[in-house]
Amino acid sequence: MSRYAGSCHCGKIAYDVQGELKEAYACNCSMCSRRGGLLWFVPVDAFELKTAREDVATYQFNKHVIEHHFCTQCGIAPFSEGRMPDGTPMIAVNARCLQDVDLGAVKIVEIDGRSF
């Protein structure tokens, strides 16, 4: 299993995540289409936030079920927290915020988030 380091642009928000990044999701909802993130969904126990929670700002919209986290310093959104359709807690890592990842080798799956 691979371990990746991720962060916002300035490094104020940093984390480690474990797993195999084989595919990421490009969502067309009003949020994702504007920020251009590529989402990799991982279990909560595969994610370790390395910075203090108070350094993480949160934005919610629409149904207010996903906590979209971002940095107040640089504005980058490196991860979100929510639940899978079955209710299981999950983390949506922005794969563009991971260090040393060749996104050209990752399968990109389009999601029609506007329909939700």
Side-chain angles (χ1 to χ4, degrees):
M1 188 167 307
S2 298
R3 187 168 187 88
Y4 303 94
S7 69
C8 62
H9 187 257
C10 71
K12 186 175 180 181
I13 298 174
Y15 56 87
D16 286 339
V17 61
Q18 284 188 204
E20 296 305 323
L21 177 55
K22 294 181 180 178
E23 62 183 32
Y25 298 91
C27 177
N28 68 355
C29 77
S30 60
M31 170 68 90
C32 293
S33 63
R34 283 174 174 80
R35 76 174 173 201
L38 291 175
L39 305 175
W40 175 34
F41 294 95
V42 299
V44 171
D45 62 356
F47 182 87
E48 180 184 359
L49 185 62
K50 303 295 242 177
T51 53
R53 272 280 167 186
E54 49 271 7
D55 288 337
V56 178
T58 303
Y59 176 72
Q60 291 184 303
F61 72 105
N62 194 9
K63 297 177 183 176
H64 297 266
V65 295
I66 300 174
E67 296 176 346
H68 300 275
H69 300 305
F70 66 95
C71 177
T72 58
Q73 186 70 33
C74 66
I76 299 299
F79 74 100
S80 299
E81 293 177 277
R83 296 188 177 276
M84 299 301 282
D86 68 0
T88 304
M90 63 79 188
I91 303 289
V93 172
N94 184 348
R96 293 189 189 277
C97 293
L98 298 174
Q99 297 173 16
D100 303 320
V101 170
D102 176 12
L103 290 176
V106 176
K107 178 182 176 184
I108 306 301
V109 178
E110 302 287 329
I111 295 178
D112 184 13
R114 290 183 188 256
S115 296
F116 294 112

